[in-house]
Amino acid sequence: HIKHVPDLLRALEKADVAIGSRHVPDARTERTLARTIFSHLYNACAHMALHLPVRDLQCGFKAAHKEAVRAILPHLEHKGFFFDTEFLALAHHKGLAIKEVPIEWIEARAASRKSTISLRKTSWELFKNLLALRRRLKSKPSHPPP
């Protein structure tokens, strides 16, 4: 919900990147069981692969300092569903502080609207991207040398 923009901006007082999170205390979510299960499974796989300090990697609600964005954008390779995970992994790898903000997330889907996303294909792509990103990050130094 747009009402959380001030919360994100306040979080930037103590962090380089602020993200909305559906998986922290005080968050309020209403979504289908399938999306809830998929979200938790994806986050668990991503945490095992990348060891990131955030609980919700794919909530698109983000704010960041200009310097943080400039440090991360040139290194991004993905524009689709994996963008959020890659952005946060690169921020963490560069030593940037990330703060999660609880949000209200209510899935409002029309009963007549069918998703065009293939869960099998999307899951496989996300899993391959996680492994590739893990290899990529392991081959680079964590923090830029002074």
Side-chain angles (χ1 to χ4, degrees):
H1 195 279
I2 197 73
K3 71 182 180 185
H4 297 296
V5 168
D7 300 329
L8 283 182
L9 297 177
R10 269 192 303 281
L12 288 178
E13 293 171 6
K14 296 180 180 179
D16 302 298
V17 176
I19 63 171
S21 180
R22 299 163 288 197
H23 303 303
V24 295
D26 297 326
R28 180 176 165 253
T29 61
E30 291 179 21
R31 55 200 314 214
T32 63
L33 180 60
R35 283 182 179 244
T36 299
I37 290 170
F38 180 76
S39 177
H40 285 289
L41 285 173
Y42 176 74
N43 281 293
C45 289
H47 286 286
M48 284 189 282
L50 302 171
H51 308 289
L52 300 177
V54 294
R55 295 180 186 181
D56 191 355
L57 294 167
Q58 290 203 302
C59 179
F61 200 57
K62 293 177 181 46
H65 287 282
K66 178 173 46 175
E67 298 81 15
V69 172
R70 285 185 175 156
I72 297 166
L73 281 184
H75 306 285
L76 287 171
E77 295 179 0
H78 297 273
K79 295 178 182 171
F81 289 118
F82 195 66
F83 168 85
D84 298 292
T85 300
E86 184 182 25
F87 183 90
L88 293 171
L90 290 171
H92 178 65
H93 193 71
K94 292 181 173 296
L96 300 176
I98 302 169
K99 172 86 172 130
E100 286 184 282
V101 174
I103 61 163
E104 178 181 313
W105 181 282
I106 299 172
E107 184 179 327
R109 288 187 53 141
S112 62
R113 194 175 129 216
K114 281 281 204 184
S115 176
T116 58
I117 296 170
S118 164
L119 193 56
R120 183 183 311 140
K121 182 179 177 184
T122 302
S123 299
W124 177 243
E125 287 299 315
L126 288 171
F127 183 70
K128 286 191 315 185
N129 289 336
L130 280 174
L131 295 179
L133 181 57
R134 179 181 173 158
R135 283 190 301 275
R136 194 170 117 209
L137 293 177
K138 284 188 175 218
S139 71
K140 296 181 178 184
S142 293
H143 307 282

